Amino acid sequence: MRHVAAFPKSLCVVGFMVGQTGLGSNVNVRLYSAMPSRRVVFVLFDSFAALDVIGPADVFAEANRLATGTPPYGLRFVSDQTQVRASSGALFGTEPLDQVSPEKTEMLMVPGADEEPLRAALANAGLRDWVRAAASSAQRVCSVCSGAFILADLGLIKGKRATTHWRGLQLLRRWPGAPIVDQDALYTEDGNLWTSAGVTAGIDMALAMVERDLGRAAALKIARELVLFLVRPGGQSQFSAPLNLQARSAATDLSRLPFWLESRLTEPTTVEDMANAMGMSVRTFHRRCLAVFDQTPLQVLLTVRLERVRTLLEERSIPLKTIAARTGFSDAGLRRAFSDRFGVSPSDYRKCFG
Amino acid sequence: MRHVAAFPKSLCVVGFMVGQTGLGSNVNVRLYSAMPSRRVVFVLFDSFAALDVIGPADVFAEANRLATGTPPYGLRFVSDQTQVRASSGALFGTEPLDQVSPEKTEMLMVPGADEEPLRAALANAGLRDWVRAAASSAQRVCSVCSGAFILADLGLIKGKRATTHWRGLQLLRRWPGAPIVDQDALYTEDGNLWTSAGVTAGIDMALAMVERDLGRAAALKIARELVLFLVRPGGQSQFSAPLNLQARSAATDLSRLPFWLESRLTEPTTVEDMANAMGMSVRTFHRRCLAVFDQTPLQVLLTVRLERVRTLLEERSIPLKTIAARTGFSDAGLRRAFSDRFGVSPSDYRKCFG
């Protein structure tokens, strides 16, 4: 299960030296000695998202492969059965919960799922008890994606900073036992609680844990082996459609607002203009905006304009200057507003999504 | 196994509309109607790399989840047993090869592994026969990471463009039945052959297939759901230590060359200087460089300098100007040479690895 030799080491005609990161480094030196082995337990349930589990698991397994001596992470996969099917249909063999003592869990990893299987997991008393017991003694309590709802529902993260898939941010904020939601983070760490944004952000989180445990050189090495960025530029905002202004306002007195703003992006628009168009006093309009959108009128306006910028950036051929002109920004103003909102520059965004 | 409702759709207090990508889009419209379902078969074997499989599988599963009507991809997992253990220890239930007819495979997916399990897979006659039969009728024959060696060894990709994990590039070039190796690609497509670089590059490749099958809007939507970049800037060069000059020259007459070049990075160095230092004529030195490094003397010099640049960029605090000064480049010269080699600018490299 653990392979000491890296793949092409002895196959390779010209030879390859493990641990070599560049000409300045010592060659033939492994990057780190392992810490004492930590028991990492992934809690699976019917229709879980397999990538939420296998992403972090393979990061830890790679850390094991590159370590000298004891592997730093001992991986276990448990469920309330002996096998469990992921949402993709992949079938996983697991250790039954009742045969694994939760107290020995040092890192508890809870993956996410779609709504229906997540509700089923939340209704599973045996699974809840096991997770609660494991969480009470674990050095790290971790969730990937919508797995945060399981931790929240068990009251394990109240008042702590946490995140989840961008689709679930609003909901997590309103969930009983809710954490303080960090809506832009790819992952968060607050005391012994680690949570990640959607799906592949679990890989970024696992890499950050390895960096904490074994150092930056080890994390960089693992990132290279798995062909990962060590750090992804920008937060999860850039992946999301965080607004959903139309959805939010659908059945309210502000249903026309997003469309009206969309239709006049290049014109200067004041809060008075917006209130007039909605047939409300400025005071009422301001109050309704906060109630419907969780945003002030000017924030709503900015959101509409930035969403249009984002859509236009995804068309590869439109120059930034043209995008600014079509959305009522100056060139510099667009760059600043976009970077503030999404954590990356417009040109970096285009490189990843354009 | 297939979930029509996106996770927070009905849970969410404010509602969420599937298919909404921005205010400019139509709301409540799913992004695509599905094509007829394609049978995708992942061929597993002992100690395969689970992320090579689950990364692409979850991309296809997400495409199924978002589609109307028939799911576009029918996922199957086969091995020569009923279960198989991945390198991380995760146990997968599989359909036995002898119960699945290879001819019905429309997309054949072969994952990678470390050297030892890969050699075992190559020695497995039943597995070889099944893969060969499936490949002969499949519309797409695909490998992730070192899975390319299985296809190469079966003579399935001779003369075609392909890639593999950066560690295996040199070896693949020399393998019997070798493809034309593209050393910088995250993935390649040549006719019905798709190959990807190491591990997570399989996710990039699967996303490109979905873009081909279902369009760019669908791929962008799936990328967002899985919190992936649609396109990662730069090729796989930026993840690798492609040089290994020290390893290559270890037991040769040029063993001192990399160290000697390292020691005088800021000095102007000619081919004559290098030949003199190695005690050879220019003509002999040039010939030996090509034989040992596959590079001309000036390419070796550039490689040494760029590897130092890369290492210094990974130290977050050193200004680019200082790095240029320490490696004998002008500021502009460093930017140009670095971008040419790695496909990203020095500052973008630092954002991802610094």
Side-chain angles (χ1 to χ4, degrees), chain A residues 240-287:
Chain A
S240 67
L243 175 53
N244 304 322
L245 288 187
Q246 291 172 22
R248 282 169 158 256
S249 59
T252 72
D253 48 356
L254 294 184
S255 61
R256 286 191 307 115
L257 182 61
F259 299 95
W260 185 78
L261 290 173
E262 265 277 302
S263 71
R264 40 178 289 143
L265 283 181
T266 56
E267 294 171 52
T269 303
T270 64
V271 179
E272 286 74 17
D273 297 334
M274 294 161 77
N276 286 340
M278 295 303 112
M280 298 178 188
S281 71
V282 168
R283 191 192 175 95
T284 302
F285 175 66
H286 194 278
R287 187 173 46 76

Side-chain angles (χ1 to χ4, degrees), chain B residues 93-235:
Chain B
T94 55
E95 296 180 87
L97 286 172
D98 56 15
Q99 291 172 31
V100 181
S101 52
E103 297 75 25
K104 292 189 182 153
T105 301
E106 285 160 298
M107 289 170 52
L108 174 68
M109 305 287 300
V110 180
D114 270 352
E115 176 183 353
E116 203 184 326
L118 197 65
R119 285 200 178 279
L122 286 172
N124 181 328
L127 186 121
R128 289 178 74 98
D129 289 347
W130 199 95
V131 169
R132 196 186 279 111
S136 72
S137 55
Q139 290 155 20
R140 282 185 193 142
V141 177
C142 319
S143 65
V144 178
C145 196
S146 59
F149 286 88
I150 295 180
L151 299 184
D153 209 62
L154 290 167
L156 294 170
I157 55 177
K158 190 155 192 163
K160 291 194 175 182
R161 269 189 319 114
T163 196
T164 187
H165 193 287
W166 53 266
R167 269 176 181 283
L169 292 168
Q170 296 290 349
L171 182 60
L172 188 60
R173 219 172 256 129
R174 291 167 167 86
W175 201 263
I180 301 152
V181 175
D182 187 340
Q183 64 176 30
D184 195 36
L186 280 170
Y187 60 86
T188 63
E189 181 191 0
D190 187 353
N192 74 338
L193 177 72
W194 293 69
T195 60
S196 89
V199 197
T200 61
I203 297 175
D204 302 85
M205 181 174 75
L207 211 48
M209 290 178 189
V210 170
E211 181 169 350
R212 178 67 49 85
D213 295 338
L214 301 166
R216 193 152 162 283
L220 188 54
K221 176 92 179 146
I222 291 162
R224 291 221 166 104
E225 290 294 325
L226 300 180
V227 187
L228 291 167
F229 291 140
L230 181 63
V231 179
R232 285 201 281 178

